[in-house]
Amino acid sequence: MNASAQVLIAGAGPTGLAAALFLSRAGVSVRMIDPKPEPAATSKALAVNPRSLELLAPTGVADRIRAEGQGVNAVRIARDGRVVATLRPRWERIAPGRPMTILPQARTEALLADALAAFGVRAERGLGLSGVSQDHHGVTVSLTDGETLRASLLLGADGAHSATRHALGLDFPGDASDTLWSLADVDIEGAPQDEARIEFQPQGPLVILPFSGGTFRLIGFGDDLLGRLPQGWKATQVRWSSDFRVSHRMVEQMAVGRVALAGDAAHIHSPIGGRGMNLGIEDAYVFAACAVDFLGGQPDRLNDYDRLRREVDGGWVAASRRLTGFMENPSPGARVIRRFAPPLAAAVPMLVERALKAGMGLDHPVRVR
């Protein structure tokens, strides 16, 4: 039996990589596995919000994300192709030195992995988790290659179909929508490269985010996203596309004994608000702080992790469910509200600031106690 690290992390996505980096910087030995043979080449997540940049700043990764990523200087809200409101976030007042930055998740993962490699830690790919047991002294983990290892703690950051969560026998309660959503990364001519746009159309909302020069991310539901671009914009190449149905789920416990869950293994929700990857990075930060104390002789700290993160993550899952349900609602009343409410709300500074803080992860403190 191998006992090669204090903490084993299952999953080498942004949540697992961030947790490994935070722990390594604190002097904790880490081993990380992932059943996927290669890192993801495509990116579901794009936005790195100011809260994540704040948490990652001491690692040096935040500066690299900002240097490589695309800033957002304005958000234009349009109704049937006509701009009805323009929001220009005052980043230096709201989040000094850390504006919302658009960078494909694959690049964020690569930057986290580069920083982690400086500590001699690299993901062991093609290697998954097949069994978990624990006692008062540690966790015994069986791997898919037949190896059995022992660790003080296990973090399951292994996605929505988490093997760690299944090994713990935890339910993943929630619901799934019947509405088919689409993502597409598209090269577009004629579009401002530092502005986001939200189009409210009869078919449904269409969100357009800039990244990587002239490439934009389209998010929406309804037919033919490309045919719904603003007048004067021309799609020249589709680089990637994917369809999916939105689920909203929250695990009942984020820590059981010496095993914890983080990111999509613990909570999933719609892409509205851009909080998925960012909440996972928050989970990683709080887990690392609690794990360091646990390993230092404070046995209740993983219970603290569960209490602290389930409140925040569960709150966003519930809010996202309400917002997504409103966006998908086909009733005439909901359509009227979607048509007229956004520009009216955009004219109220208090509502604008509240919405911006929610999207930026600044609507709550990141507490470790």
Side-chain angles (χ1 to χ4, degrees):
M1 184 178 295
N2 188 2
S4 59
Q6 293 171 286
V7 180
L8 174 67
I9 297 176
T15 301
L17 289 164
L21 182 56
F22 292 137
L23 288 166
S24 297
R25 284 175 50 81
V28 175
S29 60
V30 174
R31 185 173 176 184
M32 183 166 47
I33 61 172
D34 194 298
K36 300 182 182 68
E38 299 290 340
T42 57
S43 300
K44 288 188 176 181
L46 279 183
V48 185
N49 69 25
R51 178 67 81 194
S52 293
L53 293 174
E54 174 190 343
L55 300 180
L56 291 170
T59 72
V61 173
D63 286 341
R64 296 188 65 186
I65 288 173
R66 286 199 58 197
E68 189 172 324
Q70 170 69 57
V72 177
N73 294 323
V75 179
R76 299 194 186 275
I77 299 174
R79 187 175 63 220
D80 298 332
R82 183 174 65 88
V83 174
V84 295
T86 299
L87 309 180
R88 297 189 182 277
R90 292 178 288 176
W91 297 119
E92 287 307 312
R93 184 180 69 82
I94 300 172
R98 50 183 200 281
M100 180 73 80
T101 303
I102 306 298
L103 186 68
Q105 179 180 323
R107 286 302 306 152
T108 298
E109 290 183 15
L111 295 177
L112 288 167
D114 287 347
L116 189 56
F119 294 91
V121 179
R122 291 177 173 79
E124 299 174 55
R125 295 200 166 272
L127 187 59
L129 179 152
S130 61
V132 176
S133 63
Q134 58 178 314
D135 54 38
H136 292 300
H137 304 290
V139 184
T140 301
V141 179
S142 300
L143 304 182
T144 52
D145 66 350
E147 179 185 0
T148 300
L149 63 85
R150 186 82 168 163
S152 295
L153 296 173
L154 168 64
L155 177 65
D158 44 354
H161 302 288
S162 170
T164 308
R165 190 183 66 244
H166 287 300
L168 291 174
L170 293 175
D171 290 334
F172 204 25
D175 51 64
S177 168
D178 291 331
T179 301
L180 189 65
W181 287 66
S182 298
L183 300 177
D185 291 345
V186 184
D187 290 351
I188 299 176
E189 293 179 352
Q193 296 184 8
D194 61 348
E195 296 181 0
R197 188 171 176 119
I198 304 173
E199 287 270 349
F200 288 91
Q201 303 168 336
Q203 305 96 315
L206 174 63
V207 179
I208 307 171
L209 298 174
F211 75 96
S212 186
T215 304
F216 292 76
R217 164 67 54 83
L218 310 184
I219 307 169
F221 61 85
D223 296 333
D224 188 19
L225 297 188
L226 297 182
R228 294 159 54 188
L229 293 176
Q231 187 175 5
W233 293 20
K234 180 182 178 182
T236 59
Q237 181 180 354
V238 177
R239 295 184 174 271
W240 173 75
S241 64
S242 177
D243 295 328
F244 64 98
R245 285 182 168 83
V246 169
S247 291
H248 294 89
R249 301 186 182 279
M250 180 73 211
V251 75
E252 296 172 324
Q253 289 178 261
M254 290 184 66
V256 178
R258 291 171 173 262
V259 183
L261 300 171
D264 287 355
H267 46 83
I268 55 174
H269 51 81
S270 85
I272 292 177
R275 291 286 291 275
M277 179 181 70
N278 293 289
L279 281 177
I281 291 173
E282 286 185 30
D283 290 346
Y285 180 84
V286 177
F287 170 79
C290 293
V292 169
D293 291 343
F294 182 98
L295 295 169
Q298 300 181 42
D300 290 334
R301 289 294 278 145
L302 283 198
N303 293 330
D304 290 343
Y305 168 74
D306 173 52
R307 171 179 56 84
L308 293 167
R309 293 312 301 168
R310 192 149 44 91
E311 177 183 358
V312 172
D313 297 332
W316 180 253
V317 170
S320 177
R321 178 186 287 112
R322 291 192 296 270
L323 182 57
T324 304
F326 169 69
M327 291 295 185
E328 294 179 344
N329 190 331
S331 71
R335 289 183 179 181
V336 170
I337 295 173
R338 286 197 298 265
R339 182 175 179 82
F340 294 104
L344 294 175
V348 181
M350 183 174 65
L351 293 178
V352 172
E353 183 160 333
R354 183 175 178 181
L356 288 174
K357 284 186 174 181
M360 294 185 294
L362 302 176
D363 55 340
H364 65 281
V366 178
R367 295 187 292 129
V368 299
R369 292 193 176 275

